[in-house]
Short mmCIF file of all heavy atoms in Angstrom, two decimals:
data_model
loop_
_atom_site.label_atom_id
_atom_site.label_comp_id
_atom_site.label_asym_id
_atom_site.label_seq_id
_atom_site.Cartn_x
_atom_site.Cartn_y
_atom_site.Cartn_z
N GLY A 1 15.29 19.87 -5.97
CA GLY A 1 13.81 19.95 -6.00
C GLY A 1 13.25 18.62 -5.55
O GLY A 1 13.81 17.90 -4.77
N GLY A 2 12.09 18.37 -6.01
CA GLY A 2 11.39 17.12 -5.70
C GLY A 2 10.56 17.19 -4.42
O GLY A 2 10.46 18.24 -3.75
N LEU A 3 10.01 16.05 -4.10
CA LEU A 3 9.11 15.97 -2.96
C LEU A 3 9.85 16.22 -1.64
O LEU A 3 9.32 16.93 -0.78
CB LEU A 3 8.42 14.58 -2.94
CG LEU A 3 7.35 14.34 -1.91
CD1 LEU A 3 6.22 15.38 -2.00
CD2 LEU A 3 6.76 12.96 -2.08
N LEU A 4 11.01 15.67 -1.46
CA LEU A 4 11.81 15.91 -0.24
C LEU A 4 12.02 17.38 0.00
O LEU A 4 11.79 17.89 1.13
CB LEU A 4 13.14 15.16 -0.29
CG LEU A 4 14.08 15.34 0.87
CD1 LEU A 4 13.45 14.83 2.16
CD2 LEU A 4 15.40 14.66 0.63
N ALA A 5 12.43 18.11 -1.00
CA ALA A 5 12.66 19.55 -0.84
C ALA A 5 11.37 20.30 -0.56
O ALA A 5 11.35 21.24 0.31
CB ALA A 5 13.31 20.13 -2.11
N ALA A 6 10.29 19.93 -1.19
CA ALA A 6 8.99 20.59 -0.97
C ALA A 6 8.53 20.39 0.45
O ALA A 6 8.05 21.35 1.11
CB ALA A 6 7.96 20.10 -1.97
N VAL A 7 8.60 19.20 0.95
CA VAL A 7 8.13 18.91 2.30
C VAL A 7 9.06 19.55 3.32
O VAL A 7 8.55 20.13 4.32
CB VAL A 7 8.01 17.40 2.55
CG1 VAL A 7 7.64 17.08 4.00
CG2 VAL A 7 7.01 16.80 1.57
N THR A 8 10.35 19.54 3.10
CA THR A 8 11.28 20.16 4.02
C THR A 8 11.04 21.68 4.10
O THR A 8 11.08 22.30 5.18
CB THR A 8 12.73 19.88 3.60
OG1 THR A 8 12.94 18.47 3.65
CG2 THR A 8 13.74 20.56 4.50
N ALA A 9 10.71 22.28 2.96
CA ALA A 9 10.42 23.73 2.95
C ALA A 9 9.20 24.06 3.79
O ALA A 9 9.13 25.12 4.42
CB ALA A 9 10.23 24.22 1.52
N ARG A 10 8.25 23.12 3.82
CA ARG A 10 7.01 23.36 4.55
C ARG A 10 7.09 22.93 6.03
O ARG A 10 6.57 23.62 6.91
CB ARG A 10 5.87 22.62 3.85
CG ARG A 10 4.56 22.73 4.47
CD ARG A 10 3.97 24.12 4.20
NE ARG A 10 2.60 24.12 4.68
CZ ARG A 10 1.99 25.23 5.05
NH1 ARG A 10 2.62 26.36 4.95
NH2 ARG A 10 0.78 25.20 5.50
N MET A 11 7.76 21.79 6.28
CA MET A 11 7.73 21.23 7.62
C MET A 11 9.03 21.34 8.40
O MET A 11 9.11 21.03 9.58
CB MET A 11 7.36 19.73 7.54
CG MET A 11 5.96 19.51 7.02
SD MET A 11 5.44 17.82 7.12
CE MET A 11 5.30 17.59 8.90
N GLY A 12 10.06 21.87 7.75
CA GLY A 12 11.38 22.05 8.41
C GLY A 12 12.25 20.84 8.26
O GLY A 12 11.99 19.93 7.46
N ALA A 13 13.32 20.78 9.07
CA ALA A 13 14.34 19.76 8.93
C ALA A 13 13.74 18.39 9.25
O ALA A 13 12.91 18.24 10.14
CB ALA A 13 15.50 20.08 9.86
N SER A 14 14.22 17.40 8.51
CA SER A 14 13.75 16.03 8.74
C SER A 14 14.75 15.28 9.61
O SER A 14 15.86 15.76 9.88
CB SER A 14 13.63 15.32 7.38
OG SER A 14 14.91 15.20 6.75
N VAL A 15 14.34 14.09 10.05
CA VAL A 15 15.25 13.13 10.72
C VAL A 15 15.38 11.95 9.79
O VAL A 15 14.55 11.78 8.85
CB VAL A 15 14.69 12.72 12.12
CG1 VAL A 15 14.59 13.89 13.05
CG2 VAL A 15 13.32 12.02 11.96
N PRO A 16 16.40 11.11 9.95
CA PRO A 16 16.50 9.92 9.13
C PRO A 16 15.18 9.07 9.19
O PRO A 16 14.58 8.97 10.29
CB PRO A 16 17.66 9.16 9.73
CG PRO A 16 18.51 10.25 10.35
CD PRO A 16 17.51 11.23 10.90
N GLY A 17 14.81 8.52 8.09
CA GLY A 17 13.55 7.79 8.03
C GLY A 17 13.42 6.67 9.06
O GLY A 17 12.32 6.44 9.60
N THR A 18 14.50 5.99 9.36
CA THR A 18 14.44 4.88 10.33
C THR A 18 14.24 5.36 11.76
O THR A 18 14.02 4.57 12.64
CB THR A 18 15.67 3.98 10.22
OG1 THR A 18 16.84 4.79 10.38
CG2 THR A 18 15.75 3.26 8.87
N PHE A 19 14.33 6.68 12.00
CA PHE A 19 14.07 7.26 13.30
C PHE A 19 12.61 7.63 13.49
O PHE A 19 12.20 8.11 14.55
CB PHE A 19 14.93 8.52 13.54
CG PHE A 19 16.41 8.27 13.70
CD1 PHE A 19 16.96 7.00 13.49
CD2 PHE A 19 17.25 9.31 14.04
CE1 PHE A 19 18.33 6.82 13.67
CE2 PHE A 19 18.60 9.11 14.27
CZ PHE A 19 19.14 7.86 14.07
N ALA A 20 11.76 7.42 12.49
CA ALA A 20 10.35 7.77 12.54
C ALA A 20 9.69 7.02 13.69
O ALA A 20 9.98 5.84 13.95
CB ALA A 20 9.63 7.41 11.22
N GLN A 21 8.75 7.72 14.32
CA GLN A 21 7.97 7.15 15.41
C GLN A 21 6.52 7.13 15.00
O GLN A 21 6.14 7.90 14.10
CB GLN A 21 8.15 7.95 16.71
CG GLN A 21 9.60 7.97 17.22
CD GLN A 21 9.75 8.87 18.40
OE1 GLN A 21 8.79 9.39 18.97
NE2 GLN A 21 11.00 9.05 18.86
N THR A 22 5.70 6.36 15.66
CA THR A 22 4.30 6.28 15.35
C THR A 22 3.66 7.68 15.27
O THR A 22 3.84 8.52 16.17
CB THR A 22 3.57 5.46 16.39
OG1 THR A 22 4.12 4.13 16.42
CG2 THR A 22 2.08 5.34 16.11
N GLY A 23 3.00 7.95 14.14
CA GLY A 23 2.31 9.24 13.92
C GLY A 23 3.13 10.22 13.14
O GLY A 23 2.61 11.21 12.62
N ASP A 24 4.45 9.98 13.00
CA ASP A 24 5.28 10.91 12.20
C ASP A 24 4.94 10.75 10.74
O ASP A 24 4.46 9.74 10.27
CB ASP A 24 6.77 10.59 12.41
CG ASP A 24 7.30 11.01 13.76
OD1 ASP A 24 6.60 11.73 14.49
OD2 ASP A 24 8.42 10.57 14.11
N VAL A 25 5.25 11.80 9.99
CA VAL A 25 5.09 11.76 8.52
C VAL A 25 6.44 11.30 7.94
O VAL A 25 7.48 11.77 8.37
CB VAL A 25 4.76 13.17 8.02
CG1 VAL A 25 4.71 13.23 6.49
CG2 VAL A 25 3.43 13.64 8.61
N ALA A 26 6.38 10.37 6.98
CA ALA A 26 7.60 9.85 6.40
C ALA A 26 7.54 9.82 4.87
O ALA A 26 6.44 9.66 4.29
CB ALA A 26 7.83 8.43 6.91
N LEU A 27 8.65 10.01 4.27
CA LEU A 27 8.82 9.91 2.81
C LEU A 27 9.35 8.50 2.54
O LEU A 27 10.40 8.13 3.09
CB LEU A 27 9.78 10.95 2.30
CG LEU A 27 9.99 10.99 0.80
CD1 LEU A 27 10.04 12.43 0.30
CD2 LEU A 27 11.25 10.29 0.39
N VAL A 28 8.63 7.71 1.75
CA VAL A 28 9.06 6.35 1.45
C VAL A 28 9.20 6.12 -0.05
O VAL A 28 8.49 6.76 -0.83
CB VAL A 28 8.07 5.30 2.02
CG1 VAL A 28 8.10 5.31 3.53
CG2 VAL A 28 6.67 5.52 1.49
N ARG A 29 10.12 5.27 -0.41
CA ARG A 29 10.33 4.87 -1.79
C ARG A 29 9.79 3.44 -1.91
O ARG A 29 10.13 2.56 -1.11
CB ARG A 29 11.80 4.93 -2.17
CG ARG A 29 12.04 4.78 -3.63
CD ARG A 29 13.46 5.15 -4.02
NE ARG A 29 13.77 6.54 -3.72
CZ ARG A 29 13.55 7.52 -4.54
NH1 ARG A 29 12.98 7.35 -5.73
NH2 ARG A 29 13.87 8.77 -4.20
N HIS A 30 8.93 3.22 -2.90
CA HIS A 30 8.33 1.85 -3.06
C HIS A 30 8.11 1.56 -4.52
O HIS A 30 8.28 2.44 -5.38
CB HIS A 30 6.94 1.84 -2.33
CG HIS A 30 6.00 2.87 -2.75
ND1 HIS A 30 5.15 2.69 -3.82
CD2 HIS A 30 5.77 4.13 -2.32
CE1 HIS A 30 4.40 3.79 -3.98
NE2 HIS A 30 4.78 4.67 -3.07
N GLY A 31 7.79 0.37 -4.80
CA GLY A 31 7.56 -0.05 -6.18
C GLY A 31 8.76 0.22 -7.05
O GLY A 31 9.91 -0.02 -6.66
N ALA A 32 8.50 0.68 -8.23
CA ALA A 32 9.55 0.97 -9.23
C ALA A 32 10.10 2.37 -9.02
O ALA A 32 9.99 3.18 -9.92
CB ALA A 32 9.03 0.74 -10.65
N GLY A 33 10.60 2.68 -7.87
CA GLY A 33 11.20 3.99 -7.60
C GLY A 33 10.18 5.08 -7.30
O GLY A 33 10.51 6.24 -7.29
N GLN A 34 8.95 4.75 -7.05
CA GLN A 34 7.94 5.74 -6.74
C GLN A 34 8.15 6.26 -5.31
O GLN A 34 8.62 5.52 -4.43
CB GLN A 34 6.52 5.15 -6.81
CG GLN A 34 6.12 4.76 -8.22
CD GLN A 34 4.71 4.18 -8.28
OE1 GLN A 34 4.31 3.47 -7.38
NE2 GLN A 34 4.03 4.45 -9.37
N VAL A 35 7.85 7.52 -5.11
CA VAL A 35 8.01 8.13 -3.80
C VAL A 35 6.65 8.65 -3.34
O VAL A 35 5.88 9.23 -4.10
CB VAL A 35 9.00 9.35 -3.89
CG1 VAL A 35 9.14 10.04 -2.55
CG2 VAL A 35 10.35 8.87 -4.38
N SER A 36 6.36 8.40 -2.07
CA SER A 36 5.09 8.86 -1.46
C SER A 36 5.30 9.36 -0.05
O SER A 36 6.29 8.98 0.57
CB SER A 36 4.06 7.68 -1.38
OG SER A 36 3.72 7.24 -2.65
N MET A 37 4.38 10.14 0.43
CA MET A 37 4.40 10.54 1.82
C MET A 37 3.39 9.64 2.53
O MET A 37 2.36 9.26 1.97
CB MET A 37 3.90 11.99 1.97
CG MET A 37 4.82 13.00 1.32
SD MET A 37 6.52 12.98 1.94
CE MET A 37 6.25 13.41 3.66
N GLY A 38 3.73 9.25 3.76
CA GLY A 38 2.84 8.37 4.52
C GLY A 38 2.94 8.66 6.01
O GLY A 38 3.64 9.58 6.43
N VAL A 39 2.22 7.88 6.76
CA VAL A 39 2.22 8.02 8.21
C VAL A 39 2.83 6.78 8.84
O VAL A 39 2.47 5.68 8.49
CB VAL A 39 0.74 8.19 8.71
CG1 VAL A 39 0.68 8.24 10.27
CG2 VAL A 39 0.12 9.44 8.13
N CYS A 40 3.78 7.00 9.74
CA CYS A 40 4.45 5.88 10.42
C CYS A 40 3.48 5.21 11.36
O CYS A 40 2.83 5.86 12.18
CB CYS A 40 5.68 6.41 11.16
SG CYS A 40 6.54 5.12 12.04
N LEU A 41 3.41 3.89 11.26
CA LEU A 41 2.56 3.09 12.16
C LEU A 41 3.42 2.19 13.05
O LEU A 41 2.95 1.20 13.60
CB LEU A 41 1.60 2.22 11.33
CG LEU A 41 0.66 2.98 10.43
CD1 LEU A 41 -0.19 2.02 9.62
CD2 LEU A 41 -0.20 3.97 11.21
N GLY A 42 4.69 2.49 13.17
CA GLY A 42 5.63 1.69 13.96
C GLY A 42 6.57 0.97 13.03
O GLY A 42 7.47 1.61 12.48
N PRO A 43 6.34 -0.31 12.77
CA PRO A 43 7.25 -1.06 11.87
C PRO A 43 7.04 -0.79 10.39
O PRO A 43 7.80 -1.22 9.56
CB PRO A 43 6.98 -2.53 12.21
CG PRO A 43 5.55 -2.50 12.65
CD PRO A 43 5.36 -1.20 13.40
N CYS A 44 5.96 -0.06 10.04
CA CYS A 44 5.69 0.26 8.64
C CYS A 44 5.14 1.65 8.49
O CYS A 44 4.76 2.30 9.49
CB CYS A 44 4.76 -0.80 8.04
SG CYS A 44 3.14 -0.82 8.82
N VAL A 45 5.06 2.08 7.23
CA VAL A 45 4.51 3.42 6.91
C VAL A 45 3.29 3.17 5.99
O VAL A 45 3.44 2.45 4.98
CB VAL A 45 5.56 4.28 6.18
CG1 VAL A 45 4.94 5.60 5.74
CG2 VAL A 45 6.76 4.51 7.11
N ALA A 46 2.16 3.69 6.35
CA ALA A 46 0.96 3.62 5.50
C ALA A 46 1.09 4.73 4.48
O ALA A 46 1.14 5.91 4.85
CB ALA A 46 -0.33 3.74 6.33
N ALA A 47 1.15 4.36 3.18
CA ALA A 47 1.31 5.36 2.12
C ALA A 47 0.45 5.01 0.96
O ALA A 47 0.16 3.83 0.69
CB ALA A 47 2.77 5.39 1.69
N PRO A 48 -0.03 6.02 0.22
CA PRO A 48 -0.88 5.74 -0.93
C PRO A 48 -0.10 5.11 -2.09
O PRO A 48 1.00 5.55 -2.42
CB PRO A 48 -1.44 7.11 -1.33
CG PRO A 48 -0.41 8.08 -0.83
CD PRO A 48 0.17 7.44 0.39
N GLY A 49 -0.65 4.08 -2.68
CA GLY A 49 -0.09 3.49 -3.89
C GLY A 49 -0.98 3.85 -5.05
O GLY A 49 -1.99 4.54 -4.91
N SER A 50 -0.71 3.31 -6.22
CA SER A 50 -1.54 3.63 -7.38
C SER A 50 -2.90 3.01 -7.31
O SER A 50 -3.85 3.56 -7.88
CB SER A 50 -0.80 3.19 -8.66
OG SER A 50 -0.60 1.80 -8.63
N MET A 51 -3.06 1.88 -6.61
CA MET A 51 -4.36 1.19 -6.54
C MET A 51 -4.91 1.03 -5.15
O MET A 51 -6.10 0.73 -4.95
CB MET A 51 -4.22 -0.18 -7.20
CG MET A 51 -3.75 -0.18 -8.63
SD MET A 51 -5.04 0.35 -9.75
CE MET A 51 -6.10 -1.07 -9.77
N ARG A 52 -4.06 1.15 -4.13
CA ARG A 52 -4.47 0.86 -2.76
C ARG A 52 -3.51 1.50 -1.78
O ARG A 52 -2.47 1.97 -2.16
CB ARG A 52 -4.58 -0.63 -2.54
CG ARG A 52 -3.24 -1.31 -2.71
CD ARG A 52 -3.33 -2.83 -2.60
NE ARG A 52 -2.10 -3.47 -2.93
CZ ARG A 52 -1.09 -3.69 -2.12
NH1 ARG A 52 -1.18 -3.33 -0.86
NH2 ARG A 52 0.01 -4.31 -2.52
N LEU A 53 -3.87 1.44 -0.51
CA LEU A 53 -2.98 1.86 0.56
C LEU A 53 -1.91 0.83 0.76
O LEU A 53 -2.19 -0.39 0.81
CB LEU A 53 -3.81 2.05 1.86
CG LEU A 53 -3.07 2.64 3.02
CD1 LEU A 53 -2.67 4.09 2.73
CD2 LEU A 53 -3.95 2.65 4.29
N LEU A 54 -0.65 1.25 0.79
CA LEU A 54 0.47 0.34 0.96
C LEU A 54 0.97 0.37 2.38
O LEU A 54 0.93 1.43 3.03
CB LEU A 54 1.60 0.75 0.01
CG LEU A 54 1.29 0.83 -1.47
CD1 LEU A 54 2.47 1.38 -2.21
CD2 LEU A 54 0.91 -0.52 -1.99
N MET A 55 1.47 -0.74 2.86
CA MET A 55 2.17 -0.81 4.16
C MET A 55 3.63 -1.07 3.81
O MET A 55 4.04 -2.18 3.49
CB MET A 55 1.60 -1.93 5.02
CG MET A 55 0.17 -1.70 5.40
SD MET A 55 -0.02 -0.18 6.35
CE MET A 55 -1.81 -0.03 6.35
N VAL A 56 4.42 -0.01 3.85
CA VAL A 56 5.83 -0.07 3.42
C VAL A 56 6.72 -0.25 4.65
O VAL A 56 6.56 0.54 5.62
CB VAL A 56 6.20 1.24 2.67
CG1 VAL A 56 7.64 1.20 2.17
CG2 VAL A 56 5.21 1.48 1.53
N PRO A 57 7.61 -1.20 4.68
CA PRO A 57 8.49 -1.39 5.83
C PRO A 57 9.25 -0.11 6.16
O PRO A 57 9.69 0.60 5.22
CB PRO A 57 9.42 -2.53 5.40
CG PRO A 57 8.67 -3.29 4.36
CD PRO A 57 7.83 -2.21 3.62
N ILE A 58 9.44 0.14 7.41
CA ILE A 58 10.08 1.42 7.83
C ILE A 58 11.48 1.59 7.28
O ILE A 58 11.92 2.70 7.07
CB ILE A 58 10.08 1.50 9.40
CG1 ILE A 58 10.46 2.94 9.86
CG2 ILE A 58 11.03 0.48 10.02
CD1 ILE A 58 9.41 3.98 9.54
N HIS A 59 12.21 0.48 6.97
CA HIS A 59 13.54 0.68 6.42
C HIS A 59 13.56 1.27 5.00
O HIS A 59 14.61 1.64 4.51
CB HIS A 59 14.35 -0.67 6.49
CG HIS A 59 13.82 -1.72 5.63
ND1 HIS A 59 12.90 -2.67 6.07
CD2 HIS A 59 14.10 -2.05 4.35
CE1 HIS A 59 12.65 -3.54 5.08
NE2 HIS A 59 13.31 -3.14 4.02
N HIS A 60 12.35 1.41 4.41
CA HIS A 60 12.27 2.10 3.08
C HIS A 60 12.03 3.61 3.26
O HIS A 60 11.91 4.31 2.25
CB HIS A 60 11.12 1.46 2.24
CG HIS A 60 11.48 0.11 1.78
ND1 HIS A 60 12.36 -0.14 0.74
CD2 HIS A 60 11.01 -1.08 2.15
CE1 HIS A 60 12.42 -1.43 0.51
NE2 HIS A 60 11.63 -2.06 1.38
N ALA A 61 11.87 4.07 4.49
CA ALA A 61 11.67 5.50 4.72
C ALA A 61 13.00 6.25 4.54
O ALA A 61 13.99 5.87 5.14
CB ALA A 61 11.11 5.73 6.15
N GLU A 62 12.97 7.28 3.73
CA GLU A 62 14.16 8.07 3.46
C GLU A 62 14.30 9.21 4.39
O GLU A 62 15.43 9.68 4.65
CB GLU A 62 14.17 8.53 1.99
CG GLU A 62 14.25 7.38 1.02
CD GLU A 62 14.39 7.88 -0.43
OE1 GLU A 62 14.49 9.07 -0.64
OE2 GLU A 62 14.38 6.99 -1.28
N ALA A 63 13.20 9.73 4.86
CA ALA A 63 13.23 10.89 5.78
C ALA A 63 11.93 10.90 6.55
O ALA A 63 10.91 10.26 6.11
CB ALA A 63 13.35 12.18 4.99
N ALA A 64 11.90 11.56 7.69
CA ALA A 64 10.67 11.65 8.50
C ALA A 64 10.62 13.00 9.19
O ALA A 64 11.64 13.65 9.37
CB ALA A 64 10.64 10.53 9.54
N TRP A 65 9.40 13.43 9.48
CA TRP A 65 9.19 14.71 10.17
C TRP A 65 8.31 14.44 11.39
O TRP A 65 7.30 13.74 11.28
CB TRP A 65 8.49 15.69 9.25
CG TRP A 65 9.36 16.11 8.09
CD1 TRP A 65 10.12 17.26 8.08
CD2 TRP A 65 9.58 15.44 6.87
NE1 TRP A 65 10.79 17.29 6.92
CE2 TRP A 65 10.48 16.21 6.11
CE3 TRP A 65 9.10 14.27 6.30
CZ2 TRP A 65 10.92 15.80 4.88
CZ3 TRP A 65 9.55 13.87 5.06
CH2 TRP A 65 10.47 14.66 4.35
N ARG A 66 8.70 15.02 12.51
CA ARG A 66 7.96 14.84 13.75
C ARG A 66 6.66 15.62 13.65
O ARG A 66 6.61 16.70 13.12
CB ARG A 66 8.75 15.35 14.94
CG ARG A 66 10.09 14.69 15.11
CD ARG A 66 9.98 13.35 15.69
NE ARG A 66 11.31 12.79 16.00
CZ ARG A 66 11.62 11.55 15.78
NH1 ARG A 66 10.79 10.73 15.25
NH2 ARG A 66 12.84 11.11 16.06
N VAL A 67 5.62 15.03 14.19
CA VAL A 67 4.30 15.69 14.19
C VAL A 67 3.86 15.93 15.63
O VAL A 67 4.12 15.16 16.48
CB VAL A 67 3.22 14.81 13.45
CG1 VAL A 67 1.88 15.45 13.52
CG2 VAL A 67 3.66 14.60 12.02
#
């Protein structure tokens, strides 16, 4: 289950997170094990945090989906 399974069921098979390209949707792990969906901006993924928009380095992306 979880977010990865839910997004895969909706968007299809993912690619490894480090293969994400600008504009792709990515699943990133940040903070104390929190998981969010974000948009790849190249070297980072813009993802919602608890207080603000986070810029998470792409190497923290666990999976990505082409858009």
Side-chain angles (χ1 to χ4, degrees):
L3 187 56
L4 177 61
V7 176
T8 298
R10 181 73 173 153
M11 296 188 69
S14 64
V15 296
T18 55
F19 289 8
Q21 299 176 5
T22 300
D24 288 347
V25 175
L27 181 139
V28 293
R29 191 167 298 274
H30 57 88
Q34 295 179 324
V35 177
S36 296
M37 297 302 298
V39 177
C40 179
L41 301 177
C44 62
V45 176
S50 60
M51 301 286 286
R52 61 185 172 86
L53 187 64
L54 303 174
M55 296 300 169
V56 182
I58 193 68
H59 66 268
H60 290 285
E62 296 186 4
W65 292 264
R66 304 282 187 221
V67 177

